[in-house]
Short mmCIF file of all heavy atoms in Angstrom, two decimals:
data_model
loop_
_atom_site.label_atom_id
_atom_site.label_comp_id
_atom_site.label_asym_id
_atom_site.label_seq_id
_atom_site.Cartn_x
_atom_site.Cartn_y
_atom_site.Cartn_z
N ARG A 199 0.84 -1.20 0.00
CA ARG A 199 0.00 0.00 0.00
C ARG A 199 0.88 1.25 0.00
O ARG A 199 0.59 2.24 -0.68
CB ARG A 199 -0.92 0.01 1.22
CG ARG A 199 -2.08 -0.95 1.14
CD ARG A 199 -2.85 -0.99 2.45
NE ARG A 199 -3.54 0.27 2.68
CZ ARG A 199 -4.75 0.54 2.23
NH1 ARG A 199 -5.40 -0.36 1.50
NH2 ARG A 199 -5.34 1.70 2.49
N ALA A 200 1.94 1.22 0.78
CA ALA A 200 2.87 2.36 0.83
C ALA A 200 3.50 2.60 -0.54
O ALA A 200 3.69 3.75 -0.96
CB ALA A 200 3.94 2.12 1.88
N LYS A 201 3.82 1.54 -1.24
CA LYS A 201 4.39 1.68 -2.58
C LYS A 201 3.37 2.32 -3.53
O LYS A 201 3.73 3.20 -4.34
CB LYS A 201 4.80 0.31 -3.13
CG LYS A 201 6.09 -0.25 -2.56
CD LYS A 201 6.45 -1.57 -3.23
CE LYS A 201 7.82 -2.06 -2.78
NZ LYS A 201 8.18 -3.34 -3.45
N LEU A 202 2.12 1.89 -3.43
CA LEU A 202 1.09 2.46 -4.30
C LEU A 202 0.92 3.95 -4.04
O LEU A 202 0.78 4.75 -4.97
CB LEU A 202 -0.25 1.75 -4.09
CG LEU A 202 -0.52 0.50 -4.91
CD1 LEU A 202 -1.95 0.03 -4.68
CD2 LEU A 202 -0.28 0.74 -6.39
N LYS A 203 0.93 4.34 -2.77
CA LYS A 203 0.78 5.76 -2.44
C LYS A 203 1.99 6.55 -2.93
O LYS A 203 1.84 7.68 -3.40
CB LYS A 203 0.59 5.92 -0.93
CG LYS A 203 -0.78 5.47 -0.43
CD LYS A 203 -0.98 5.77 1.03
CE LYS A 203 -0.19 4.82 1.91
NZ LYS A 203 -0.48 5.04 3.35
N ARG A 204 3.16 5.97 -2.80
CA ARG A 204 4.36 6.66 -3.30
C ARG A 204 4.27 6.84 -4.80
O ARG A 204 4.58 7.92 -5.32
CB ARG A 204 5.61 5.85 -2.93
CG ARG A 204 6.91 6.56 -3.28
CD ARG A 204 8.10 5.75 -2.84
NE ARG A 204 9.35 6.38 -3.23
CZ ARG A 204 10.54 5.81 -3.11
NH1 ARG A 204 10.64 4.60 -2.59
NH2 ARG A 204 11.62 6.46 -3.51
N TRP A 205 3.85 5.81 -5.52
CA TRP A 205 3.67 5.93 -6.97
C TRP A 205 2.65 7.02 -7.29
O TRP A 205 2.86 7.82 -8.21
CB TRP A 205 3.19 4.59 -7.56
CG TRP A 205 2.61 4.76 -8.93
CD1 TRP A 205 3.29 4.84 -10.11
CD2 TRP A 205 1.22 4.93 -9.25
NE1 TRP A 205 2.41 5.05 -11.15
CE2 TRP A 205 1.14 5.10 -10.65
CE3 TRP A 205 0.04 4.94 -8.50
CZ2 TRP A 205 -0.08 5.28 -11.30
CZ3 TRP A 205 -1.17 5.13 -9.14
CH2 TRP A 205 -1.21 5.29 -10.54
N PHE A 206 1.54 7.06 -6.53
CA PHE A 206 0.50 8.04 -6.80
C PHE A 206 1.05 9.46 -6.70
O PHE A 206 0.84 10.28 -7.61
CB PHE A 206 -0.66 7.86 -5.81
CG PHE A 206 -1.65 8.99 -5.85
CD1 PHE A 206 -2.54 9.11 -6.89
CD2 PHE A 206 -1.67 9.95 -4.84
CE1 PHE A 206 -3.45 10.17 -6.94
CE2 PHE A 206 -2.57 11.00 -4.88
CZ PHE A 206 -3.46 11.12 -5.93
N TRP A 207 1.74 9.78 -5.61
CA TRP A 207 2.24 11.14 -5.43
C TRP A 207 3.34 11.49 -6.43
O TRP A 207 3.37 12.60 -6.96
CB TRP A 207 2.75 11.35 -4.00
CG TRP A 207 1.66 11.35 -2.99
CD1 TRP A 207 1.45 10.46 -1.98
CD2 TRP A 207 0.57 12.30 -2.89
NE1 TRP A 207 0.32 10.78 -1.26
CE2 TRP A 207 -0.24 11.90 -1.79
CE3 TRP A 207 0.22 13.42 -3.62
CZ2 TRP A 207 -1.38 12.61 -1.42
CZ3 TRP A 207 -0.92 14.13 -3.24
CH2 TRP A 207 -1.70 13.72 -2.16
N CYS A 208 4.22 10.54 -6.71
CA CYS A 208 5.27 10.81 -7.70
C CYS A 208 4.66 11.06 -9.07
O CYS A 208 5.05 12.01 -9.77
CB CYS A 208 6.25 9.62 -7.77
SG CYS A 208 7.33 9.45 -6.34
N SER A 209 3.70 10.24 -9.46
CA SER A 209 3.06 10.41 -10.77
C SER A 209 2.28 11.71 -10.84
O SER A 209 2.30 12.41 -11.86
CB SER A 209 2.11 9.23 -11.05
OG SER A 209 2.82 8.02 -11.14
N ALA A 210 1.59 12.05 -9.73
CA ALA A 210 0.79 13.27 -9.70
C ALA A 210 1.66 14.51 -9.88
O ALA A 210 1.34 15.40 -10.67
CB ALA A 210 0.01 13.34 -8.40
N PHE A 211 2.77 14.58 -9.12
CA PHE A 211 3.59 15.78 -9.17
C PHE A 211 4.62 15.77 -10.30
O PHE A 211 5.23 16.80 -10.58
CB PHE A 211 4.27 16.00 -7.82
CG PHE A 211 3.33 16.55 -6.78
CD1 PHE A 211 2.80 15.74 -5.80
CD2 PHE A 211 2.93 17.87 -6.82
CE1 PHE A 211 1.90 16.23 -4.86
CE2 PHE A 211 2.03 18.38 -5.90
CZ PHE A 211 1.51 17.56 -4.92
N ALA A 212 4.75 14.64 -10.96
CA ALA A 212 5.58 14.60 -12.16
C ALA A 212 4.74 14.91 -13.40
O ALA A 212 5.28 15.06 -14.50
CB ALA A 212 6.24 13.23 -12.31
N GLY A 213 3.41 14.99 -13.22
CA GLY A 213 2.53 15.24 -14.35
C GLY A 213 2.54 14.10 -15.35
O GLY A 213 2.36 14.30 -16.55
N ALA A 214 2.72 12.88 -14.84
CA ALA A 214 2.93 11.73 -15.71
C ALA A 214 1.73 11.42 -16.60
O ALA A 214 1.88 10.87 -17.69
CB ALA A 214 3.28 10.50 -14.87
N TYR A 215 0.52 11.76 -16.14
CA TYR A 215 -0.68 11.38 -16.87
C TYR A 215 -1.30 12.53 -17.66
O TYR A 215 -2.42 12.42 -18.15
CB TYR A 215 -1.71 10.80 -15.90
CG TYR A 215 -1.42 9.35 -15.56
CD1 TYR A 215 -0.37 9.03 -14.70
CD2 TYR A 215 -2.18 8.31 -16.08
CE1 TYR A 215 -0.08 7.71 -14.40
CE2 TYR A 215 -1.90 7.00 -15.79
CZ TYR A 215 -0.85 6.70 -14.94
OH TYR A 215 -0.55 5.37 -14.64
N GLU A 216 -0.57 13.61 -17.81
CA GLU A 216 -1.11 14.75 -18.54
C GLU A 216 -1.02 14.57 -20.05
O GLU A 216 -1.76 15.20 -20.80
CB GLU A 216 -0.39 16.03 -18.11
CG GLU A 216 -0.70 16.45 -16.69
CD GLU A 216 -0.22 17.85 -16.38
OE1 GLU A 216 -0.98 18.81 -16.64
OE2 GLU A 216 0.91 17.99 -15.90
N ASN A 217 -0.11 13.73 -20.51
CA ASN A 217 0.05 13.47 -21.94
C ASN A 217 0.01 11.97 -22.20
O ASN A 217 0.61 11.19 -21.46
CB ASN A 217 1.38 14.04 -22.45
CG ASN A 217 1.47 15.55 -22.29
OD1 ASN A 217 0.66 16.29 -22.83
ND2 ASN A 217 2.45 16.01 -21.52
N ALA A 218 -0.72 11.58 -23.25
CA ALA A 218 -0.86 10.17 -23.64
C ALA A 218 -1.17 9.28 -22.44
O ALA A 218 -0.47 8.31 -22.16
CB ALA A 218 0.43 9.70 -24.33
N PRO A 219 -2.24 9.60 -21.68
CA PRO A 219 -2.53 8.87 -20.46
C PRO A 219 -2.79 7.38 -20.66
O PRO A 219 -2.45 6.57 -19.79
CB PRO A 219 -3.77 9.57 -19.90
CG PRO A 219 -4.40 10.24 -21.09
CD PRO A 219 -3.25 10.65 -21.95
N ASN A 220 -3.39 7.00 -21.79
CA ASN A 220 -3.65 5.58 -22.01
C ASN A 220 -2.36 4.79 -22.17
O ASN A 220 -2.24 3.67 -21.66
CB ASN A 220 -4.53 5.40 -23.26
CG ASN A 220 -5.94 5.93 -23.04
OD1 ASN A 220 -6.45 5.93 -21.92
ND2 ASN A 220 -6.58 6.38 -24.11
N THR A 221 -1.40 5.39 -22.86
CA THR A 221 -0.10 4.74 -23.03
C THR A 221 0.62 4.64 -21.68
O THR A 221 1.21 3.61 -21.35
CB THR A 221 0.77 5.53 -24.02
OG1 THR A 221 0.12 5.58 -25.29
CG2 THR A 221 2.14 4.88 -24.18
N VAL A 222 0.54 5.72 -20.90
CA VAL A 222 1.18 5.71 -19.57
C VAL A 222 0.55 4.64 -18.69
O VAL A 222 1.24 3.93 -17.96
CB VAL A 222 1.07 7.10 -18.91
CG1 VAL A 222 1.65 7.06 -17.49
CG2 VAL A 222 1.80 8.14 -19.74
N THR A 223 -0.78 4.52 -18.74
CA THR A 223 -1.47 3.50 -17.95
C THR A 223 -0.98 2.11 -18.32
O THR A 223 -0.67 1.28 -17.45
CB THR A 223 -3.00 3.58 -18.19
OG1 THR A 223 -3.49 4.81 -17.67
CG2 THR A 223 -3.71 2.42 -17.50
N GLU A 224 -0.89 1.84 -19.60
CA GLU A 224 -0.44 0.53 -20.07
C GLU A 224 0.97 0.22 -19.56
O GLU A 224 1.25 -0.89 -19.11
CB GLU A 224 -0.47 0.50 -21.60
CG GLU A 224 -0.14 -0.86 -22.19
CD GLU A 224 -0.26 -0.87 -23.70
OE1 GLU A 224 -0.66 0.16 -24.28
OE2 GLU A 224 0.06 -1.91 -24.31
N GLN A 225 1.85 1.20 -19.61
CA GLN A 225 3.22 0.99 -19.14
C GLN A 225 3.30 0.88 -17.63
O GLN A 225 4.04 0.05 -17.09
CB GLN A 225 4.10 2.15 -19.64
CG GLN A 225 4.23 2.23 -21.14
CD GLN A 225 4.92 3.50 -21.61
OE1 GLN A 225 5.07 4.47 -20.86
NE2 GLN A 225 5.34 3.53 -22.87
N ASP A 226 2.51 1.72 -16.93
CA ASP A 226 2.57 1.73 -15.47
C ASP A 226 2.01 0.46 -14.85
O ASP A 226 2.50 0.02 -13.80
CB ASP A 226 1.80 2.94 -14.93
CG ASP A 226 2.68 4.17 -14.78
OD1 ASP A 226 3.85 4.10 -15.18
OD2 ASP A 226 2.19 5.19 -14.25
N VAL A 227 0.99 -0.12 -15.45
CA VAL A 227 0.43 -1.36 -14.91
C VAL A 227 1.50 -2.44 -14.86
O VAL A 227 1.67 -3.14 -13.85
CB VAL A 227 -0.79 -1.82 -15.73
CG1 VAL A 227 -1.18 -3.25 -15.36
CG2 VAL A 227 -1.97 -0.89 -15.52
N VAL A 228 2.25 -2.57 -15.93
CA VAL A 228 3.33 -3.57 -15.99
C VAL A 228 4.41 -3.24 -14.97
O VAL A 228 4.86 -4.12 -14.20
CB VAL A 228 3.93 -3.63 -17.40
CG1 VAL A 228 5.14 -4.58 -17.43
CG2 VAL A 228 2.88 -4.08 -18.41
N ALA A 229 4.84 -1.97 -14.93
CA ALA A 229 5.93 -1.56 -14.04
C ALA A 229 5.52 -1.68 -12.57
O ALA A 229 6.31 -2.10 -11.71
CB ALA A 229 6.36 -0.13 -14.35
N LEU A 230 4.28 -1.29 -12.25
CA LEU A 230 3.81 -1.35 -10.87
C LEU A 230 3.66 -2.78 -10.38
O LEU A 230 4.01 -3.10 -9.24
CB LEU A 230 2.48 -0.61 -10.73
CG LEU A 230 2.55 0.87 -10.36
CD1 LEU A 230 1.15 1.48 -10.38
CD2 LEU A 230 3.17 1.06 -9.00
#
């Protein structure tokens, strides 16, 4: 759970989902 929350905040403040969100989702699911 702590890892998921860390990913959430890092992704949020890195703006990771602002561009090509579907592609990012596909990549993040595998990486997470």
Side-chain angles (χ1 to χ4, degrees):
R199 286 174 68 87
K201 283 184 174 181
L202 273 187
K203 287 185 286 185
R204 186 178 177 188
W205 163 82
F206 169 74
W207 291 115
C208 289
S209 296
F211 284 103
Y215 280 74
E216 291 192 87
N217 298 300
N220 292 331
T221 300
V222 176
T223 294
E224 185 177 357
Q225 295 171 345
D226 270 5
V227 168
V228 175
L230 268 175

